[in-house]
Amino acid sequence: MKLAAILRTTALVTAVALIPATTATMAQVDGRAGPQFAKLFATYQRIKANYVEPVDDDKLIRGAIDGMLASLDPHSAYLDGSSLQRLETMIDGNYSGLGLSVVLDEGAVKVISPFRGSPAEKAGVKAGDYITHLDGKLIYGGDLDDAVAQMRGPAGTSIKLTIYRVGRDEPLEVSVTRGVIELEPVSHSLEAGNIGVITVNEFSADVGSDVLTAWKEIRKEAAGRVNGLVLDLRSNPGGSLDEAVALSDLFLEKGRIVSQRGRARGETLLYDAETVFRGDMAEGLPLIVLIDAGSASASEIVAGALQDHRRALIMGERSFGKGSVQTLLPLGRDAALKLTTARYYTPSGHSVQEGGIKPDISVPQLSDPDLAKRSKYVLRESDLKGHLVNELDLEDEALETDKQVDPRFKLTAEELEKQGIKDFQLHYALDTLRRTAPSAVALRD
């Protein structure tokens, strides 16, 4: 795979803005940094001359690069070989494997979320799980790329995962059969009461158009009598910035959608409504947007825009809190830096970094039997080592108000299962639209 092929793709906000940099945009080395470079070179020389075993130059240079980037934030990284292939896979959304979104957390491979309908989800892997062994081999303290490479493989082959799950005394061993992961970016359904549901799993190419097509199908199935719409962005880690803008534009007739602000010239950009789609495709219709801790970046852009413009009621759990943008800076033909270069802001000027998008109505996923145990260890941007700090210096207490017990939500997972409710958050959103007057839900100016 060549870097040029990636650079031809659209900007990503997972958040990864793929914008090739020119020589003019590269920061010049401060002359005062000379002594520091001397220390770096001296360290290299001492290692080469005195380490107990011979050390390859590539290993030392790669280690120095990784160390520099790791000191910045969790999302800046050096990409080559398999890591560039992973980026291509993320863009294409088609590979053979388990269907997991993972992150390295203090040396452990932690599951952010399994993709919906993936082999991992069907096997019972859950968000928040820690994968400690693959086929009995310890992967703790290893490289994330190596772990991902081991989990991928030909469709039909199996791999055994050893999982530590918070609240369980013993590790779990789960056998997962790899499959072809073809992520379905958009799906839809028409529920009782003529309430439409559009689920966006990732912001890949043409998501805005796909959502518009889904809306037309819903209207056709409902014979034009749609009474409400749920836009489900839960466990959506992001994707194309352009598609986040396009999706927001489907519901907005005027105003700012998102702004991006950075230090370098050209990194400050403004995105407004009516630039992709004309009008509000569901004008006058009550809209609820579902989010959770796995809703990041592009998902937060959409939720923030619709919330600030009072076009939708945001429901669920506080989002991930990923408010930075990365730029891909080429280093030759087959390598690149993925460097954090900007922050993005909602129309009201709110940065989602750390704090995320706070729902208008916090609704816990009561249908999850492990909710109480896993909610204590949910992973968000603010939990990542070295994350960027919000300019407002948010207090931890302000970020945890969504964990307060709401007297409306007392049913247990067992009680909900007896009622046939498998997804309480979606059930609550649908029920809200069925029993609430449109003017009270749409929240339009």
Side-chain angles (χ1 to χ4, degrees):
M1 181 200 67
K2 299 300 182 184
L3 181 60
I6 298 180
L7 293 176
R8 285 195 294 268
T9 64
T10 186
L12 296 182
V13 194
T14 28
V16 184
L18 300 183
I19 307 171
T22 63
T23 303
T25 64
M26 300 297 287
Q28 298 299 312
V29 176
D30 191 326
R32 291 171 295 180
Q36 304 305 320
F37 277 97
K39 290 179 182 178
L40 179 64
F41 185 64
T43 301
Y44 163 81
Q45 289 180 311
R46 298 297 187 275
I47 294 173
K48 290 289 290 185
N50 300 300
Y51 190 66
V52 65
E53 295 178 350
V55 185
D56 184 72
D57 284 344
D58 289 342
K59 181 176 182 178
L60 290 176
I61 299 302
R62 176 62 186 266
I65 293 172
D66 288 342
M68 280 191 285
L69 293 166
S71 71
L72 302 177
D73 66 84
H75 306 292
S76 294
Y78 176 80
L79 305 177
D80 67 352
S82 60
S83 54
L84 269 178
Q85 291 176 0
R86 286 180 59 203
L87 180 58
E88 183 182 51
T89 295
M90 179 183 69
I91 295 168
D92 293 342
N94 189 329
Y95 64 95
S96 294
L98 308 183
L100 284 172
S101 175
V102 296
V103 66
L104 199 63
D105 182 21
E106 298 293 337
V109 176
K110 186 172 185 178
V111 177
I112 295 179
S113 64
F115 297 132
R116 299 183 192 185
S118 67
E121 184 189 52
K122 293 176 181 177
V125 180
K126 296 185 178 182
D129 284 348
Y130 289 90
I131 302 174
T132 61
H133 296 72
L134 296 174
D135 282 334
K137 179 182 177 182
L138 180 68
I139 60 171
Y140 175 80
D143 183 75
L144 182 62
D145 284 337
D146 291 341
V148 171
Q150 292 180 58
M151 285 188 279
R152 289 182 182 166
T157 60
S158 297
I159 186 171
K160 183 173 67 176
L161 310 183
T162 302
I163 292 173
Y164 170 74
R165 181 171 295 166
V166 175
R168 301 292 182 96
D169 295 330
E170 299 291 334
L172 303 173
E173 289 195 349
V174 178
S175 180
V176 186
T177 300
R178 298 180 180 93
V180 176
I181 309 301
E182 294 182 352
L183 299 179
E184 186 179 12
V186 177
S187 59
H188 68 276
S189 64
L190 182 66
E191 302 298 328
N194 276 12
I195 306 297
V197 177
I198 297 178
T199 302
V200 181
N201 296 310
E202 62 167 1
F203 285 84
S204 56
D206 300 321
V207 160
S209 298
D210 290 345
V211 169
L212 180 58
T213 299
W215 169 243
K216 292 177 180 178
E217 291 294 326
I218 288 173
R219 291 193 63 195
K220 182 178 179 181
E221 188 176 345
R225 296 188 296 273
V226 183
N227 296 320
L229 181 63
V230 175
L231 181 63
D232 190 352
L233 301 180
R234 292 174 298 171
S235 298
N236 183 326
S240 167
L241 170 62
D242 288 341
E243 294 305 324
V245 171
L247 178 52
S248 303
D249 203 5
L250 284 171
F251 299 98
L252 297 175
E253 297 176 333
K254 61 180 179 179
R256 180 69 30 84
I257 291 177
V258 66
S259 60
Q260 172 184 314
R261 308 173 200 170
R263 286 178 57 210
R265 184 176 61 184
E267 289 292 348
T268 297
L269 301 171
L270 306 176
Y271 299 88
D272 296 324
E274 297 290 287
T275 58
V276 184
F277 296 103
R278 296 295 179 184
D280 179 347
M281 75 172 189
E283 184 175 4
L285 199 71
L287 173 66
I288 288 179
V289 177
L290 283 177
I291 60 173
D292 62 10
S295 304
S297 293
S299 299
E300 294 173 298
I301 287 174
V302 175
L306 298 183
Q307 184 180 55
D308 282 1
H309 285 288
R310 300 179 64 81
R311 176 58 185 95
L313 186 73
I314 311 301
M315 188 177 288
E317 301 163 285
R318 181 167 56 86
S319 62
F320 186 78
K322 179 71 171 60
S324 63
V325 177
Q326 281 69 45
T327 300
L328 200 65
L329 307 175
L331 297 174
R333 296 184 49 149
D334 299 306
L337 289 183
K338 179 165 68 74
L339 190 68
T340 300
T341 56
R343 300 173 188 257
Y344 65 80
Y345 299 82
T346 70
S348 66
H350 167 67
S351 170
V352 305
Q353 183 64 22
E354 288 193 280
I357 299 295
K358 181 180 178 181
D360 300 304
I361 301 179
S362 295
V363 180
Q365 184 61 299
L366 298 181
S367 48
D368 179 2
D370 296 320
L371 174 65
K373 298 173 183 176
R374 292 197 298 115
S375 61
K376 298 179 182 179
Y377 300 93
V378 65
L379 181 70
R380 287 190 171 93
E381 173 78 6
S382 56
D383 300 311
L384 298 180
K385 184 177 180 180
H387 67 272
L388 291 178
V389 176
N390 189 293
E391 298 97 319
L392 296 179
D393 194 22
L394 300 176
E395 297 291 339
D396 288 343
E397 293 79 3
L399 302 180
E400 301 304 323
T401 54
D402 55 339
K403 292 185 178 181
Q404 296 177 359
V405 178
D406 191 315
R408 292 173 294 178
F409 307 126
K410 293 184 177 181
L411 291 175
T412 65
E414 293 76 14
E415 291 171 333
L416 291 170
E417 186 176 8
K418 290 179 181 179
Q419 297 179 28
I421 300 174
K422 298 181 179 180
D423 185 341
F424 178 74
Q425 290 175 327
L426 178 58
H427 167 81
Y428 192 86
L430 292 171
D431 194 45
T432 299
L433 288 172
R434 294 186 190 110
R435 58 183 162 78
T436 308
S439 61
V441 177
L443 299 177
R444 302 197 66 188
D445 291 330

